[in-house]
């Protein structure tokens, strides 16, 4: 079993190093809450510097053999992992709901989107193909190969404890690297179930490791010379600091940060469809998605009918524990986070916004879990805290504008640039928006445009620090480095000394 019961009757979540569970000896740990009940449900180890060093050393040793393993064998292993994750979807999703709180169907969706990345990585022999130029000069060929980096680390957020690790480790391992995952300390158990499946698939011990913990573990990963690359997903201040520290230490880094995703609705949009999309994208997973829609920019006359259609749909959202059938929105991750989100609702009126629907009055808020109902804020404007900050909860803001240009300017002036969407029936307007907007992922009548696994995921501006996006083709590029070989097999009869600079013609 990945999680062992300890004497206190509460589960302990350990590290996974060298193909087995390793309890921490650091003496430090954190509480894992059950967000649906408000009770603690596990204790998670926090790694010491020495434990992180041990994981890196084991990974470094495992890397030597793994990078020499045939591509076809690595591909076969990914196919096996694909089958195992597929067969264990429900187990992963249940564990995820238990610790994160999101509804079970939503958790199943998360697993499915993570699995896509393993499917992509099955094609690693094709993905790692280099290039070859015959006869670059007489008798000389030039070719480029791609090689793995070594030990690479992934530091992941609480909101996708299965999918985001799979975004990273599927490509990292398939490309021949050894991987160290530092999951969120708030929902750490899924990482151990994934580790079991990775081992079962035949990935050699030490190639995939999990180090549980907090910033002590992260800081060591950023400093250790044997960690060659760092993938991070989390909030913007941490992403920025990780990018700065790790690049200063000579590592390759992709650090994805927070978001404030705007959905622009033009007056010609289908109001029912736009309202369905807004409610789904704002309140799914209780708004704890980096691609959640948190601002609707309603242009002109569409505002009133759209808000009315949104209100009707909000009234039907069922809030409650994620494992109870029929519930559509679960609790938030912790009590502190719930209270922080609720404080934006409490302050909205004093900032000049109006609270059109107050989620604090939802019946679920009387339960002991970390619940908060869906909230709609109207007449929000840039400059208000509820607009400026990433709230990361079930709070949707409406900003009203008179023109497309005004709406576009607002989106482009926002410091974040993760996802955005336009709702319209006008193809020309949609194409213009796609051309104009400063964001990395754009939806046209699609509210959550998370790219499929054979494209790459990444925002612009304060939503991503680094040059390469996550997963897909960029993922393969991130986890490999190019080597160019210039080769000649001369006829010894033509060989001579020539001190001139090599010419190609
Ligand atoms: P977070 O930044 O608090 O934590 C992310 C990871 O960093 C965790 O593993 C955590 O242990 C670690 N960490 C936290 N503080 C640290 C510090 N000071 N030093 C070193 N490590 C630290 O983020 P979170 O609350 O777990 O996740 C929610 C955030 O993640 C939101 O801002 C959301 O938008 C963002 N997110 C972004 C994407 C994306 O693709 N851009 C995807 C998912 C989540």
């Amino acid at each position: 079993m990945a999680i062992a019961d300890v004497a206190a009757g509460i589960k302990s979540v350990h590290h996974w190093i060298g193909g087995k569970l390793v309890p921490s000896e650091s003496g430090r740990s954190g509480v894992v809450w059950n967000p649906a009940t408000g009770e603690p449900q596990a204790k998670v180890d926090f790694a010491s510097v020495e434990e992180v060093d041990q994981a890196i050393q084991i990974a470094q040793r495992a890397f030597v053999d793994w990078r020499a393993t045939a591509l076809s064998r690595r591909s076969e292993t990914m196919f096996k992992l694909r089958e195992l994750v597929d067969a264990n979807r429900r187990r992963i999703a249940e564990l995820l709901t238990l610790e994160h709180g999101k509804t079970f169907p939503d958790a199943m969706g998360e697993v499915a989107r993570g699995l896509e990345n393993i499917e992509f990585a099955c094609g690693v022999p094709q993905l790692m193909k280099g290039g070859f130029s015959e006869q670059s000069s007489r008798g000389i060929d030039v070719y480029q190969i791609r090689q793995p980096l070594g030990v690479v680390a992934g530091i992941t957020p609480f909101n996708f404890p299965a999918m985001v690790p799979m975004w990273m480790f599927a490509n990292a391992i398939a490309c021949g690297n050894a991987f160290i995952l530092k999951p969120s300390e708030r929902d750490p158990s899924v990482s151990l179930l994934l580790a079991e499946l990775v081992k079962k698939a035949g990935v050699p011990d030490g190639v995939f490791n999990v180090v549980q913990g907090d910033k002590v573990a992260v800081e060591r990963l950023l400093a250790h010379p044997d960690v060659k690359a760092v993938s991070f997903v989390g909030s913007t201040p941490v992403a920025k600091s990780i990018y700065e520290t790790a690049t200063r230490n000579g590592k390759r880094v992709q650090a994805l940060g927070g978001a404030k995703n705007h959905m622009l609705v033009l007056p010609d949009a289908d109001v029912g469809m736009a309202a369905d999309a807004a409610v789904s994208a704002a309140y799914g997973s209780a708004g704890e998605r980096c691609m959640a829609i948190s601002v609707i920019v309603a242009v002109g006359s569409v505002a009133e009918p759209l808000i009315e259609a949104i209100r009707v749909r909000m009234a039907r959202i069922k809030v409650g524990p994620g494992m109870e059938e029929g519930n559509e929105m679960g609790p938030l991750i912790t009590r502190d986070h719930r209270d922080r989100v609720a404080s934006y609702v409490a302050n909205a009126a004093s900032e000049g916004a109006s609270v059109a629907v107050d989620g604090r009055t939802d019946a679920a808020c009387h339960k002991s879990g970390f619940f908060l109902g869906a909230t709609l804020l109207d007449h929000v404007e840039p400059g208000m805290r509820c607009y400026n900050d990433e709230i990361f909860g079930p709070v949707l803001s409406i900003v009203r504008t008179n023109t497309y240009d005004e709406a576009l300017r607002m989106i482009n002036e926002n410091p974040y640039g993760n996802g955005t969407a336009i709702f319209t029936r006008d193809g020309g307007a949609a194409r213009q928006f796609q051309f104009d907007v400063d964001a990395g992922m754009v939806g046209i009548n699609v509210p959550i445009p998370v790219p499929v696994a054979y494209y790459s995921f990444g925002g612009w501006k304060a939503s991503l620090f680094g040059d390469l996006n996550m997963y897909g083709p960029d993922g393969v590029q991130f986890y490999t480095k190019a080597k160019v070989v210039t080769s000649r097999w001369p006829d010894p009869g033509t060989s001579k000394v020539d001190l001139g600079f090599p010419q190609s013609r």
Side-chain angles (χ1 to χ4, degrees), residues 156-159 182 185-186 232-235 257-258 290 390 392 457:
T156 54
F158 81 82
N159 66 326
K182 206 304 281 171
E185 62 276 38
R186 291 184 259 181
F232 173 87
V233 176
S235 57
C290 65
E390 182 189 37
F392 220 57
F457 181 111

Side-chain angles (χ1 to χ4, degrees), residues 155-160 164 167 182-186 213-215 218-219 232-236 238 242 256-259 290 390 392 418 457 463:
I155 299 152
T156 54
F158 81 82
N159 66 326
F160 286 108
V164 171
W167 281 2
K182 206 304 281 171
S184 168
E185 62 276 38
R186 291 184 259 181
D214 58 356
K215 64 185 287 195
V218 172
E219 280 167 5
F232 173 87
V233 176
S235 57
T236 288
V238 183
I242 285 198
L256 278 60
C290 65
E390 182 189 37
F392 220 57
N418 215 36
F457 181 111
S463 296

Side-chain angles (χ1 to χ4, degrees), residues 33-36 38-39 330-335 338 368-372:
W33 297 91
N34 180 338
E39 300 291 323
L332 295 176
I333 185 72
T334 57
R335 181 173 285 114
R338 192 266 317 271
S368 50
F370 310 139
F371 293 99
L372 184 64

Side-chain angles (χ1 to χ4, degrees), residues 30-44:
V31 174
V32 181
W33 297 91
N34 180 338
T37 63
E39 300 291 323
Q41 60 172 321
K43 180 165 117 7
V44 56

Side-chain angles (χ1 to χ4, degrees), residues 38-155:
E39 300 291 323
Q41 60 172 321
K43 180 165 117 7
V44 56
D45 291 347
F46 281 3
S48 62
V49 167
E50 293 71 30
E51 285 165 354
V52 176
D53 284 357
Q54 188 204 358
I56 295 170
Q57 193 186 28
I58 285 174
Q60 181 62 37
R61 266 193 239 128
F63 165 67
V64 176
D65 263 1
W66 183 238
R67 70 163 290 217
T69 303
L71 271 173
S72 49
R73 171 75 65 207
R74 297 210 302 259
S75 169
E76 184 186 26
T77 310
M78 296 314 287
F79 271 105
K80 282 192 187 142
L81 181 59
R82 192 248 160 234
E83 292 308 302
L84 284 163
V85 173
D86 181 42
N88 284 277
R89 284 175 196 248
R90 293 187 69 85
R91 260 180 91 199
I92 302 170
E94 271 169 24
L95 197 49
L96 203 161
T97 293
L98 195 65
E99 291 190 354
H100 176 283
K102 66 177 72 176
T103 64
F104 180 71
D106 191 26
M108 287 291 279
E110 170 178 348
V111 178
R113 292 306 302 264
L115 186 55
E116 280 181 10
N117 295 276
I118 299 177
E119 288 168 349
F120 178 78
C122 290
V124 67
Q126 177 69 20
L127 297 169
M128 279 184 74
K129 262 187 183 171
F132 194 102
S133 302
E134 187 190 46
Q135 205 71 351
S136 298
S137 183
R138 276 187 180 274
I140 293 190
D141 302 327
V142 177
Y143 50 97
Q144 190 196 55
I145 52 181
R146 299 206 71 89
Q147 297 189 328
L149 307 178
V151 178
V152 298
I155 299 152

